[in-house]
Amino acid sequence: PLQVKRFCVADAANYCDELQSIPGSATQKRFTCNGVLFGTEAHQNNVSKLLSSMNGSMVYTGGKYVINAGQYIAPGVNDILTEDDLNGHVTLTTSTKRSDRFNTITGVFNDPDQLHKQVEFPKVQISSAVTRDNGEVLTKQIQLSMTNNVYMAQRLAYQMIKRSNDQMVLDFPANLKGLRVAIGDRVKVTINQFAGSEADPISFVNKVFVCTNFSFTDSNAGGVNLTLIEDTEANYYDATVTPALIMPVAAYSSVDLSDGSITDGFRGVPAPSSLSAVG
């Protein structure tokens, strides 16, 4: 049977507490939550603010609220869905529409060095994501109202762009076995009909997806409709103090408080080369 892991608040907290190196030969916790919530604000808005501090999610499943941080938790060896678990025809979408894409993030965070005012953090842009979008800069603006560190803000934005790399969406109508899958769970999907050749980059043998939506089917056979989005561990790597040589991981941008100048760690779109003028 499919045994999908369930994680609790303590697991998310332990992940957030892991120390990360930042410029200045210092370390800090990966994610912390620092800000103000107002009782007059809608409950859902306050929850969303709390979750924004760790790129997290909260779902209600099995009579409990489950909180997940922006963390990759690999599926177990038995966490597999195959054609045998289908209750209808699958639908595959290979990429998201342009209006939902982004490769650059700008936004604000609460800066304790400026009396906790909301100030802009350095722009985060990943050149490979810009290349993915045919060289077009697509910007997303975010508000990190529960984040109070410039490097933490960049870390959150960097992960958001990385996670946008995987755009393949699989609508999987499952039989009752799908009841074991909750939103936020990762499963390995094997569909032989979609399995690519060695030259085909799309392979559906133990391909990892994360569940983002769950609903009961209207068919008489019973079952659930699962919305699964492609997911990989590399999307959750943290930015580093210096760019990695082997793995393409970006460095942090740093701000000189004396004059406000920014040393850009995210190189963005590379400058054109080998150009020549034609008369």
Side-chain angles (χ1 to χ4, degrees):
L2 185 67
Q3 297 293 332
V4 179
K5 301 176 183 177
R6 294 285 185 265
F7 291 83
C8 62
V9 174
D11 297 296
N14 291 336
Y15 175 74
C16 293
D17 284 343
E18 293 178 1
L19 295 179
Q20 302 294 306
S21 297
I22 59 175
S25 301
T27 60
Q28 66 177 195
K29 292 182 179 181
R30 176 179 280 113
F31 302 132
T32 62
C33 187
N34 301 276
V36 178
L37 298 177
F38 296 95
T40 55
E41 190 83 15
H43 177 71
Q44 184 176 357
N45 292 342
N46 280 335
V47 171
S48 296
K49 288 181 180 180
L50 294 172
L51 295 174
S52 73
S53 65
M54 59 177 180
N55 278 341
S57 63
M58 183 176 72
V59 297
Y60 184 77
T61 176
K64 298 179 180 179
Y65 284 100
V66 178
I67 294 178
N68 297 309
Q71 174 186 11
Y72 181 84
I73 300 173
V77 293
N78 296 319
D79 302 339
I80 298 175
L81 292 173
T82 68
E83 293 103 325
D84 295 336
D85 307 312
L86 284 171
N87 192 33
H89 298 290
V90 297
T91 302
L92 177 66
T93 304
T94 57
S95 63
T96 58
K97 55 185 179 181
R98 181 187 178 281
S99 60
D100 293 333
R101 294 185 185 182
F102 57 92
N103 49 51
T104 303
I105 288 183
T106 61
V108 296
F109 73 106
N110 299 328
D111 190 354
D113 294 327
Q114 300 190 46
L115 301 178
H116 299 277
K117 295 179 181 178
Q118 287 195 339
V119 300
E120 292 187 9
F121 57 83
K123 175 185 68 178
V124 177
Q125 183 180 86
I126 301 180
S127 58
S128 59
V130 177
T131 301
R132 174 200 68 195
D133 296 324
N134 296 320
E136 184 178 4
V137 176
L138 303 175
T139 303
K140 177 183 179 72
Q141 293 184 329
I142 62 175
Q143 183 174 357
L144 301 175
S145 56
M146 304 300 287
T147 299
N148 69 346
N149 182 271
V150 65
Y151 301 120
M152 200 172 298
Q154 293 178 69
R155 194 178 303 124
L156 288 164
Y158 177 69
Q159 185 188 95
M160 291 175 66
I161 299 177
K162 292 288 289 182
R163 289 169 66 174
S164 74
N165 277 335
D166 288 330
Q167 303 180 18
M168 190 180 300
V169 180
L170 183 68
D171 292 318
F172 193 102
N175 55 24
L176 294 180
K177 188 177 179 180
L179 291 172
R180 298 177 179 267
V181 183
I183 296 175
D185 289 338
R186 289 177 182 81
V187 294
K188 291 179 285 188
V189 177
T190 296
I191 301 179
N192 293 326
Q193 183 179 355
F194 288 160
S197 63
E198 185 174 334
D200 190 344
I202 300 178
S203 174
F204 271 83
V205 178
N206 288 337
K207 189 172 185 64
V208 177
F209 287 83
V210 60
C211 179
T212 60
N213 195 27
F214 175 104
S215 63
F216 289 98
T217 184
D218 295 331
S219 67
N220 294 329
V224 295
N225 295 318
L226 302 175
T227 300
L228 308 174
I229 295 182
E230 181 185 10
D231 203 24
T232 54
E233 185 177 6
N235 295 340
Y236 299 82
Y237 292 149
D238 295 298
T240 61
V241 176
T242 56
L245 297 178
I246 300 177
M247 192 174 300
V249 179
Y252 295 104
S253 299
S254 58
V255 180
D256 189 335
L257 296 180
S258 62
D259 59 8
S261 61
I262 297 175
T263 302
D264 192 2
F266 298 91
R267 304 306 178 195
V269 183
S273 59
S274 301
L275 297 180
S276 59
V278 178

